[in-house]
Amino acid sequence: MSASKPLDYESPHKKSAKKFILKEYIQLTAGPANFSDRVLQALSMQCLNPLSKEMHLMMDEVKAMLQYLFQTTNPLTLVNQTSGSGGNESILTNLLDPGDKLVIAVGGTWGEKVQDMAQRYGFDVLAIRKPPGEIFTVEELEAAVKSHQANLLFVTHGESSGGTLQQLEGIGPMCHKYDCLLAVDAVASMGVDPLYTDRWQLDAVCTASQKAIGSPPGLCLLTFSPRAEERIKAKKNKSPYYFDMTRQGLYFDCFVDDHSRKYHYTFSSNLLAALREALAQLCEEGLSEVWERHKRNSEYLWKKMGEIGLDCFVEKVENRFHGITCVKIPSGVDQLELLKFIKDKYDIEIAYGHGPTLNKAMRIGLLGQNSRPEVVDYLVKALKDGMEQLRKQGTN
Ligand code: PMP
């Protein structure tokens, strides 16, 4: 083919693609959260061969740090190159066959999405619901597991759409009485509120890289108990190829009887390096300290909000998630105008409501590196200024 032959389509940047300059914001939405300079640096290193010994070393380190993060000794603890939703889908499709029975405790948008996913795969779903701001008791979950004869119960730990934290203690032993497994969406709550995979007998837990962990979006982090591993092996139907935890588990060297580390797909060494750095920072600070910091700063936020006339959407303090605070929309203020004001003037992004909080509350994420008192002070100053200006405009 001649080099001068005209192409069918021309690039809009034929001569010189201009540098795309991104403005940096303080990301106080429900995620992603800002990441540290250390993570940024790790992300920018040269790529690695996904089958190289350096990559294997990084995977081993990540796996060990994940076992600490999840508080587990589960050998099947690994990373899949997808987002949190892909993690939830990996759990469902590796533990269930079509027709298997699943109870979903829906506490907001994320439970609704898991229901949608599960129905697409032909699982027999019973969804149970609570009013906004409320969480499930073990007794309520037990009644559903028993009546539906469930193979799996799926709960969301930190509900980023409604601002609640589902208590997990006691649910695992209850499920196991009925030969039911327990899966937990900890996408928003990992590294925020306490979670003990082994102590609480959780069988499958999923989180994502971009929230309190503080690395770029694109990875989900998973652990499966030996009970769950048995279920994976006993499955009659194969899991979707990309989400197959047996294949990905081989690549992450999770099985005692096969250390071939067989290739599954090209894993991004850059994303893994960034995750390794974020986890290293978390390990250096210490998990208990990280949990305590998130609690302290969210409580500080609630106090400071009260001083400027803002109320929490979740009334009961004991039901509140310490990663994302839902704030009732203040009277006389258009929430979208307020969000725009603080973004334009203060470079802060917060989120509008979703699911249970739609048109009722705004959502403020204090996740990972952003959970700091000076961030709270700056945000509260911005919100106070925004409310005053918008109310003034409203009366003019
Ligand atoms: N579950 C929860 C609790 C979440 O907060 C989110 C993301 N906001 C998800 C699942 C989905 O994660 P992702 O956007 O990474 O797919």
Side-chain angles (χ1 to χ4, degrees):
M1 202 197 302
S2 138
S4 60
K5 196 158 179 174
L7 297 169
D8 290 340
Y9 306 102
E10 287 299 341
S11 160
H13 299 298
K14 189 162 180 227
K15 288 264 152 51
S16 63
K18 284 203 194 77
K19 192 165 179 227
F20 186 54
I21 299 172
L22 286 170
K23 186 156 184 226
E24 288 187 12
Y25 292 97
I26 304 173
Q27 299 285 359
L28 305 183
T29 63
N34 300 88
F35 23 91
S36 69
D37 289 344
R38 267 172 71 172
V39 169
L40 269 175
Q41 234 168 19
L43 183 66
S44 67
M45 74 172 205
Q46 191 48 266
C47 65
L48 291 174
N49 168 1
L51 301 176
S52 61
K53 73 172 190 324
E54 292 83 2
M55 188 71 174
H56 290 162
L57 187 65
M58 205 152 60
M59 288 156 79
D60 290 345
E61 283 195 15
V62 164
K63 210 166 49 176
M65 291 193 277
L66 286 184
Q67 285 172 328
Y68 170 69
L69 178 71
F70 283 103
Q71 289 292 289
T72 185
T73 57
N74 288 341
L76 190 53
T77 299
L78 71 173
V79 186
N80 208 7
Q81 198 167 280
T82 170
S83 73
S85 308
N88 286 340
E89 201 156 340
S90 305
I91 290 179
L92 293 180
T93 55
N94 279 264
L95 295 182
L96 297 172
D97 280 310
D100 278 355
K101 292 172 182 294
L102 167 67
V103 170
I104 305 172
V106 178
T109 302
W110 304 105
E112 301 287 356
K113 282 184 186 287
V114 168
Q115 182 180 2
D116 185 352
M117 260 178 218
Q119 283 165 340
R120 289 171 192 225
Y121 285 103
F123 307 134
D124 180 354
V125 178
L126 170 66
I128 53 173
R129 289 180 169 74
K130 292 293 277 187
E134 295 295 326
I135 58 171
F136 295 89
T137 63
V138 179
E139 291 72 28
E140 287 163 341
L141 297 171
E142 179 162 15
V145 163
K146 203 170 158 188
S147 75
H148 197 52
Q149 297 181 325
N151 303 103
L152 181 70
L153 168 65
F154 197 106
V155 300
T156 304
H157 189 210
E159 238 307 340
S160 56
S161 64
T164 48
L165 182 75
Q166 173 62 49
Q167 298 306 318
L168 298 175
E169 224 171 332
I171 305 177
M174 176 281 286
C175 285
H176 298 146
K177 268 198 319 198
Y178 300 96
D179 198 22
C180 172
L181 297 180
L182 172 60
V184 177
D185 172 342
V187 170
S189 62
M190 188 61 79
V192 175
D193 277 302
L195 183 145
Y196 298 93
T197 301
D198 290 358
R199 194 191 296 182
W200 291 345
Q201 299 184 27
L202 317 178
D203 294 299
V205 186
C206 158
T207 190
S209 48
Q210 78 272 18
K211 304 219 180 212
I213 311 293
S215 69
L219 299 179
C220 81
L221 327 174
L222 291 150
T223 193
F224 294 88
S225 69
R227 243 191 221 98
E229 229 189 292
E230 283 300 306
R231 185 72 67 85
I232 293 172
K233 284 191 193 124
K235 239 174 83 74
K236 294 184 204 79
N237 294 269
K238 285 196 167 166
S239 312
Y241 184 87
Y242 193 86
F243 290 150
D244 187 336
M245 291 296 100
T246 309
R247 293 191 66 99
Q248 187 65 352
L250 263 186
Y251 179 51
F252 266 80
D253 196 21
C254 295
F255 303 117
V256 279
D257 53 347
D258 189 344
H259 297 289
S260 59
R261 290 192 185 260
K262 255 188 219 121
Y263 163 90
H264 183 30
Y265 53 73
T266 302
F267 202 98
S268 163
S269 59
N270 304 72
L271 286 181
L272 195 66
L275 173 67
R276 199 214 75 92
E277 204 58 38
L279 290 172
Q281 277 191 278
L282 200 144
C283 291
E284 285 164 20
E285 185 178 352
L287 199 48
S288 311
E289 288 77 4
V290 168
W291 292 336
E292 187 47 45
R293 176 165 57 81
H294 281 83
K295 182 169 183 291
R296 200 173 50 242
N297 289 321
S298 283
E299 287 173 354
Y300 181 53
L301 171 66
W302 304 339
K303 177 174 163 283
K304 296 298 282 183
M305 277 173 21
E307 288 170 10
I308 60 166
L310 288 173
D311 297 318
C312 279
F313 176 77
V314 178
E315 306 281 346
K316 292 183 191 149
V317 177
E318 66 273 21
N319 287 359
R320 286 184 200 157
F321 174 35
H322 293 99
I324 289 145
T325 293
C326 298
V327 188
K328 286 186 193 161
I329 298 170
S331 64
V333 172
D334 179 313
Q335 66 157 331
L336 293 183
E337 289 291 324
L338 182 59
L339 263 55
K340 184 174 177 322
F341 181 93
I342 66 169
K343 180 166 179 175
D344 292 346
K345 183 164 172 190
Y346 290 89
D347 295 340
I348 300 174
E349 281 204 75
I350 62 171
Y352 46 80
H354 210 262
T357 48
L358 183 70
N359 297 327
K360 293 189 184 130
M362 307 173 293
R363 295 175 303 145
I364 298 171
L366 289 181
L367 297 168
Q369 303 286 312
N370 291 338
S371 174
R372 284 181 282 140
E374 56 273 28
V375 171
V376 173
D377 288 334
Y378 185 60
L379 168 70
V380 171
K381 180 178 168 206
L383 287 171
K384 183 168 184 277
D385 185 16
M387 290 192 300
E388 280 168 6
Q389 296 302 325
L390 294 174
R391 281 182 180 138
K392 229 186 267 168
Q393 284 169 21
T395 52
N396 285 341

